[in-house]
Structures are given as structure tokens and as C-alpha cells.
Amino acid sequence: MIDRNDPYFWADLLDTILKGAGETFYTVGVSLLLTVLFGLAAGVLLVTTEAHGLLARPLGSRALGVAVNRVLDVVVNIGRSIPFIILMILLIPFTRLLVGSFIGPTAAIVPLAIAGIPFFARLVEIGIREVPKGLVEAAQSLGATRWTILTKVLVAEAVPALALGLSTTVVGLIGYSAMVGAVGGGGLGDVAFRYGYQRYSPEYMFAVVILLILLVQLFQSLGNFAARRLSHR
Amino acid sequence: MISVSRVVKSYGSGAAQVRALDDVTMSVKKGEVFGVVGQSGAGKSTLIRTINALEQPDSGTVHVGGRDMTKLAGRELRQARHDIGMIFQHFNLLSGRTVRANVELSLEITGAGRAQRRTRALEILELVDLRGKADAYPAQLSGGQKQRVGIARALASNPSVLLSDEATSALDPDTTRQILDLIRQLSKDLGLTVLLITHEMDVVKRICDSAAVMSQGRILEHGSVEKLLTTEKSLLGQALFPLGDIPPTSNAVVEITFTGMATDRPVIAQLARQHGIDVGILGAAVETIHGRQTGRTRLELPGDERTVSGAVADLRSQGLYVEVIK
């Protein structure tokens, strides 16, 4: 139990929360970066390697296109179907191998990114699918390369949808990061768990909850704003 | 300029197989506006898409400016496409780019530098009368304006061929006329060869030098519009000048097709006077084709065989196209 009457109580609370928030930003930030990188690639491949897709025949082989599509689809589904708390535990040996430890903010990045990638990949897939096929055809008629079509048509036209998907992903990652925190990943989840729950301090608990609510609001609004600004439909 | 030879293209397999193109042969001369008309599902769309190899035929060849499009791939194919612009029914503009940036896409693809892209984009927008909208987004434009952007994008890289895939089918009649006139004008000014597909006879009437009628993957007629109009039992002629069913009569029935000057002459009055026939008019249709009055009249000619054949011979000697229906 933390002594609420301690003259340093609020100063300590602020320190702890700020440190936790810093760790959360770090974990979520890095895992978001990885999520966007791999999730975007996976999402784009999921759509384009389908029959009649832009990359239906990578390196001239339809069999390769089918294989990439099937494998990605299954992997993404597996990633999406394992509850995060179990995924986190399952990944401990892998995390250890990669980072050397499974405790701390850096170790937390691994399960976060692995949960985030398939999630974002599906959102990217939806966004890219919304791009009218006629646009691809128009670019082809102009003699565009597949890379140009990919970047300047498919991804560029999906940008508003991607911005919304990104904010949804950030919100999800913040939620997951609190879960990792509770089992040794640091960050705001760690603060809420150790101070708020184990040491019975409602002040710590509420402070974390309020901060999380503010963060989620902020990122969702940013995403909505960006999507609105970027969309000219 | 464009020559399609014995092209076959099927979709599906087994019993569900559909022949979208069934041994299609046709050619488009340099600088002419050529229209392919037909119902939806006739294979027009597949045909136009084989011209720039968006669609590969099962067999046959497609030559554009001497290159066999069916044999090209990779860089060669992309370069060949730079020389063939295409416009679409639904415009297919990028919603996230301004009008100018949409036109510039075409130049980014051909590898033009930034300054050159900008100059050329504005120049071509001027040509389609949209310079004032350069910084607008497609969503802020009307259908006709969007199609103008489509045309500007297609022509930015100076192609010698323009393909039009039902480009006016989503537009209202007034806008359709404006866009058609623009295409006609550009084809004249830039020496463009235009191949368009449409299900609207009006389009052929307004801008086409030559036309083909397509149905179930086959080309039924093919030639200059004027020649098709004066061809016996021409589908194009019948579609352009619908005269309805022939009423029951024991007299001879003939159809006269007028083109150009002949419309100014009092043909029927002359017939009545010189041959003493009480000419009956069963139907008539007049259209302006390329700015020339063209029409078809169905006449009933009472009288014996000799009188009628004399009258027909006389009409023909005046340079009129006469078809004896019964």
C-alpha cells in the first residue's frame, strides 16, 4: 500500500507515470514502425497476388503468386486468431532469441509487432481493394510499370483508408502494450498493474486509465483528421 | 494504322465457354475516326482492349503502327503503349491527384522531367479547355470535365492512336456532343487515329468516318459510313434510318438513300412528273452525318413493271442509291 499522505506522493506518481508513458511510446512506436513496414507489404501482396491481380504472376510464375497468397492468408489468419495474451506467452522463446530477454520495453516490441502486422495487413488489404480496378487499367494503358502502379495508383489512392487503418492499429497497439506491461514489458500497463493493482492505489490506476483514454482519443482524432484531409473523393 | 487479323478470344472453358471475339478482322486507316457499334456483350470492349494489349487474344495478330501488339512484353510493350492513348467510360482519374497531376502521371510514366511535365500538362489542358481547373480535384468536376481530363491524360505523351472505350456513355446528350466534337477536332488537329467503341448510333453519326457493326463476337459490317449507308440491307443503315415495317401493298416498294447534295433536289416531284407515277411516301428519316444531310426515304411506286424499272433506272442515273424492297 502506498502512503497517500507522503509529501512526495504526487511527485512520485507523476514521475512513475511519465516514465511509464515514455516506455509505452517507445514500445508502441517501434512496433508500429515494424507493423507499418511489414503490414503494408503483406496487405498489398494479399490483394495483388490474387488471380488477375497486379502481381498474379511474380517472376512470371502464377504458381508462385498462388503460393505467396495462400501462405500470407494463412499466416495472417493465424496471427489474428490467437488471443494476444497467449501469443505473448507463446512468443517468449522467440523474443528471448531475438532480444536476449523477454522482460522490458524492448522485449515487448516483439509480440506487439507480431500481433500488429497481421491486423494492419487486413486493414491495408481492405483499403487497397477499394481502389477501382479501372485506375489500374488506366495506368497500364499509359504504359506504367507494375511498381509505378503499385506506388502511384494502388497505395496512393488507398492513403485515406490507410490513415484510418493506421490510427485503429495504434489504438490496438496501445491496448496490447498495457497487456505486455502487466507481465514485465514496462510502460503504462506495468504502472497500472504494480502500483494500481498490487499496491492498491486507485490514484495510480485512474491516472493510467485517464492517460490511456486521452492517448486513444488523440490518435483516433489524428487518424480521422488525416483521412479527411487526404481524401478528395 | 491499326490492323486486326483473325483474332479469337474466349473466356471460360467447356460448356460455359464464351467467344468474345470470333475471328475478327478489321483495319483502321491513319487519321480516321473509326467506330465499332454493338450491343453490350458483343465483344467490342474485348476488341478495343486487344489493341493496346490489355487483353491478349488466343490467336490472331493485332498490329498498331507496324508493331504486333500480341508479340510484345515488358519494356517494349510499355513503350508501344505510350503511343496509344485510351479514355474510359468512367474516366478512371486518380481521386487523390489534382487535374494537372493526373495529366502529369502520363508524363511521369514516360519519364519526362519535372519542368517539362508541368509545361506539357498545362499546354494539353489548354487544348481541352480546362486550364482553369488545373488545381481542382476530379471530385470537383462535372462528368464532361472529367472526360476532358481523361483525354488530356491520354494525349499528354503525344500518342498517334486514341482508343475510346464508351467514353461518352456516362454523359448526358449535350456533354456527349461536346466531347465527341472535341475528339473529332483533336483527331484533325493532331492527326490522331481514333478507334472508339460505343452502343450509341449517335456517336457513329456524329464523328465516325468508318464503322463496324459487331454482334456476338463477330464483325457483321465494316467500311466507310457513307458506303455502309448505301449498302443493301446494311445493318448500320437500318439502325440509323429506322423506317419501320413495310405495310401490306401490291405495289413496288423502293428505298432511296440520299447523301449530300441529292437532298436538295426535288426527286419525288420529278418522279411523279416524268414517269406519271403517283408516288406514295411510306417513311423517311434524315440525319446529319459529318455535317451533311443524309437520309433514307421509302417510296411506294404504283404502276406496271416497266414503269417501275424505268423509274428506278432514272433515279440511279441521278447518282442516288436505290434499293428495291419488293
Side-chain angles (χ1 to χ4, degrees), chain A residues 72-205:
Chain A
L72 269 177
D73 193 56
V74 169
V75 168
V76 163
N77 277 342
I78 292 174
R80 299 269 295 118
S81 54
I82 302 174
F84 185 67
I85 190 129
I86 296 170
L87 182 75
M88 213 162 59
I89 296 163
L90 268 176
L91 284 173
I92 286 176
F94 181 64
T95 308
R96 225 188 222 144
L97 190 80
L98 225 59
V99 190
S101 154
F102 67 96
I103 308 248
T106 303
I109 291 167
V110 177
L112 276 184
I114 285 180
I117 290 166
F119 183 72
F120 188 57
R122 283 290 180 218
L123 296 177
V124 171
E125 183 191 351
I126 293 167
I128 303 260
R129 247 181 237 293
E130 297 275 297
V131 178
K133 290 200 168 46
L135 299 191
V136 173
E137 201 161 84
Q140 278 172 336
S141 80
L142 293 170
T145 58
R146 286 191 291 191
W147 177 249
T148 302
I149 296 173
L150 213 61
T151 52
K152 293 189 174 179
V153 178
L154 287 179
V155 175
E157 281 288 297
V159 158
L162 296 184
L164 280 179
L166 193 64
S167 60
T168 308
T169 307
V170 175
V171 168
L173 286 179
I174 291 174
Y176 286 164
S177 84
M179 227 187 285
V180 198
V183 295
L188 289 171
D190 182 38
V191 174
F193 187 69
R194 283 195 295 137
Y195 292 77
Y197 178 70
Q198 289 182 328
R199 296 164 78 180
Y200 314 110
S201 169
E203 288 84 357
Y204 275 85
M205 192 60 101

Side-chain angles (χ1 to χ4, degrees), chain B residues 5-6 27 34 46 57 59-60 72 74 85 104 115 130 167 178 192 194 211 221-222 234 252 272 274 276 291 296 316:
Chain B
S5 175
R6 314 218 59 174
S27 62
F34 191 108
T46 309
S59 64
L72 300 181
E104 282 192 26
L130 260 191
Q178 287 170 17
L192 271 179
V194 180
E221 304 178 352
H222 168 223
S234 152
Q274 293 181 356
R296 181 171 280 190
R316 283 181 175 149

Side-chain angles (χ1 to χ4, degrees), chain A residues 134 137 140 142-143 152 157 232, chain B residues 49 82 92 95-96 108 139:
Chain A
E137 201 161 84
Q140 278 172 336
L142 293 170
K152 293 189 174 179
E157 281 288 297
H232 298 284
Chain B
R49 290 152 52 85
H82 294 165
N92 294 348
S95 72
E108 286 166 29

Side-chain angles (χ1 to χ4, degrees), chain B residues 25-256:
Chain B
T25 298
M26 56 165 272
S27 62
V28 181
K29 290 199 271 297
K30 191 169 164 43
E32 78 173 341
V33 178
F34 191 108
V36 178
V37 257
Q39 305 288 315
S40 52
K44 316 180 296 281
S45 212
T46 309
L47 174 63
I48 201 168
R49 290 152 52 85
T50 60
I51 309 296
N52 61 355
L54 285 177
E55 203 84 66
Q56 281 294 347
D58 301 337
S59 64
T61 58
V62 176
H63 282 88
V64 179
R67 275 184 287 222
D68 185 352
M69 297 299 289
T70 60
K71 300 265 184 323
L72 300 181
R75 175 191 283 271
E76 280 182 333
L77 175 59
R78 291 196 299 273
Q79 264 164 4
R81 281 174 175 163
H82 294 165
D83 196 40
I84 308 172
M86 189 171 191
I87 55 177
F88 305 87
Q89 180 173 6
H90 298 296
F91 322 122
N92 294 348
L93 303 176
L94 297 182
S95 72
R97 283 178 174 236
T98 61
V99 165
R100 190 177 68 219
N102 263 287
V103 176
E104 282 192 26
L105 176 69
S106 163
L107 302 160
E108 286 166 29
I109 290 168
T110 55
R114 179 187 279 264
Q116 196 192 340
R117 287 204 302 264
R118 200 190 154 91
T119 321
R120 176 66 184 150
L122 291 177
E123 185 183 291
I124 194 95
L125 282 172
E126 183 88 58
L127 212 56
V128 299
D129 207 14
L130 260 191
R131 178 137 184 185
K133 293 281 183 190
D135 294 318
Y137 285 92
Q140 299 165 297
L141 304 179
S142 69
Q145 289 172 328
K146 284 182 197 168
Q147 197 56 283
R148 282 167 194 270
V149 180
I151 293 171
R153 178 178 66 184
L155 299 183
S157 61
N158 271 318
S160 47
V161 173
L162 178 67
L163 304 176
S164 163
D165 184 357
E166 296 275 8
T168 56
S169 300
L171 303 175
D172 62 60
D174 269 350
T175 315
T176 293
R177 277 193 287 278
Q178 287 170 17
I179 294 293
L180 290 177
D181 289 349
L182 177 67
I183 292 174
R184 178 93 204 155
Q185 191 60 43
L186 289 171
S187 92
K188 266 196 203 139
D189 294 350
L190 308 174
L192 271 179
T193 304
V194 180
L195 173 61
L196 59 86
I197 63 167
T198 182
H199 63 270
E200 299 166 316
M201 278 295 166
D202 280 353
V203 173
V204 176
K205 218 152 64 184
R206 194 157 185 97
I207 66 168
C208 293
D209 300 306
S210 299
V213 178
M214 232 184 143
S215 174
Q216 295 184 331
R218 287 174 167 275
I219 291 207
L220 305 179
E221 304 178 352
H222 168 223
S224 83
V225 171
E226 280 182 28
K227 204 180 128 231
L228 286 180
L229 289 181
T230 52
T231 300
E232 198 157 337
K233 305 238 174 347
S234 152
L235 296 163
L236 190 75
Q238 279 163 14
L240 277 178
F241 304 112
L243 296 175
D245 293 331
I246 299 162
T249 169
S250 54
N251 297 320
V253 176
V254 299
E255 284 181 12
I256 306 176

